Amino acid sequence: MIGLISATAAGTSARDRLAAAWPDRTRVYEGPVADAVRAAFAECEQLVCFLATGAVVRLVAPLLDDKTSDPGVVCVDEAGRFAVSLVGGHGGGANELARAVGELLGAEPVVTTATDAVRLPGLDTLGLPVEGNVAAVTRALLDGEAVALRAEVAWPLPPLPVAGDGAYTIRVTDRLVEPGEREVVLRPPTLVAGVGASRGAPAAEVLGLVEGALRDAGLSGASLAALATVDAKADEPGIVAAARRLGVPLVTYTAGELARVEVPNPSDAPLAAVGTPSVAEAAALLGGGELLVPKRKSAARPAMATCAVVRRPARGRLAVVGLGPGARDLLTPRAEAELRRASVLVGLDQYVDQIRDLLRPGTRVLESGLGAEEERARTAVAEARRGHAVALIGSGDAGVYAMASPALAEASDDIDVVGVPGVTAALAAGAVLGAPLGHDHVSISLSDLHTPWEVIERRVRAAAEADIVVTFYNPRSRGRDWQLPKALSILAGHREPATPVGVVRNASRADESSRLTTLAALDPATVDMMTVVTVGNTATREIAGRMVTPRGYRWQEEPR
């Protein structure tokens, strides 16, 4: 919950705007300001104070306890010009809150955290449990000192300026180790504990068994990703409570799925009880990995729980990112976040140039020229399979005539894949023209480099006969100058010569140009590969210089 505190009429107005925008996330604190701040500080995860920074400093200073538990505090000035991240930039989420508040209120976010200032990922913001001397290692990174990365288990991390050796260390491990004086330990969620239990097994027995198995094997509970069991035990109170106490999800599988897993220690008891010769080992191993702790029983007499621990294989991460049509303000915040997260960027050279300034220092860039789509897809997937965090970029939406299709055709289920949508060229051009896509519409690429012309022509005829608005991608190049006239002639067989046609070149970019013409008047020679051509249907009209396709057709039947 975010506590909102104000003292003046202007601050209250801005406060109420925030409360109205985030009704489920915020709570307004009325009354004397000092009392309101104390109450919000005790009850909320974050605070936004519409007060002077100095006043907030004096009010919260006596309340501060520990940076890992204190709420994040953001100040907004009287004029609403700045949203200042004051306390808890990373641990309390104040940096991101300042950006979100600034975007909503039109204020400039002010973030002074050193790592954010130089676009270095904070070691305590990676989404992993972190132990050790974060301040000292971060300071070494900021000062350019040699910091070694020792990844005992592979995990997709954002780019970090690390070396092969150094006086300071970032250690990525699921082992139960104590960090050194100049060391930070990151705990990736690599471990899965398979559990089995008799009916009525106490939660303390299940919990003690899992914690003891990890401890005895020298493994950290902070790296535990899940408990796994058979679906017949999905509601077993002791297992459910143990998962809750450990702070991990409970994953269940059918007896048939578990029975197909080869295990070193099968047993007749679970076979008779739930239909599989193994629960603990099979549930832990089902996703693959290395069995670190074979099945063991709890110490109680009689033993009512079993446990096994597996280290899952490392999974790289591939984000397929749509950059939009070109304008920076049409690049989505999610896309920007993925670009900052990636340690490896793969893309067409001209697209890389568009967003190079957004990459964190140390990002490895693998760029290539036109015509190498399949090679880029293979490269991105291969880098993800090596355990890296990879961003594969494409223009518009990466799933529309772009890189998502070849990448996902290459990828298997051994990596995590995230799709990041972008504004397509058809949508950007449509916004420039007016509302040409107001009813059913289709996009067709006229490039026959990958698709036989016979297939393309069949699709154009189908769209023409169905009276669907058509947006042509890749309409004409120096080597392909006859496809667009052919496609237009097919449409002309089903639509009037005066049918509106919109032509937009470089939509949303600085050199954007557009014009509205007709099916009969369009000169294909004025179109190139940077152009999107949108041909209306029989209902499309030019209204006040804009291309409009009504949502319904009933208006056509009304008397004019």
Side-chain angles (χ1 to χ4, degrees), residues 53 73-75 81-91 93-103 107-120 122 125 340 360:
T53 303
V73 179
V74 170
C75 293
R81 297 170 302 166
F82 304 105
V84 182
S85 174
L86 185 67
V87 172
H90 285 167
N95 291 351
E96 288 304 316
L97 180 60
R99 296 185 181 100
V101 169
E103 182 176 355
E108 180 71 23
V110 179
V111 176
T112 58
T113 308
T115 50
D116 291 72
V118 298
R119 295 185 295 130
L120 182 71
T125 66
R340 290 194 299 269
R360 291 192 190 274

Side-chain angles (χ1 to χ4, degrees), residues 445-501:
S445 171
L446 294 183
S447 172
D448 57 0
L449 294 178
H450 300 285
T451 305
W453 174 253
E454 294 76 14
V455 174
I456 297 172
E457 183 174 335
R458 186 167 66 247
R459 293 169 179 170
V460 175
R461 289 189 185 280
E465 294 169 0
D467 195 26
I468 295 177
V469 175
V470 181
T471 297
F472 288 122
Y473 279 71
N474 305 313
R476 184 176 180 273
S477 67
R478 283 177 294 184
R480 294 186 300 99
D481 58 1
W482 59 268
Q483 286 90 340
L484 178 59
K486 177 63 176 177
L488 294 174
S489 70
I490 294 171
L491 293 176
H494 298 268
R495 300 179 194 184
E496 295 296 325
T499 298
V501 175

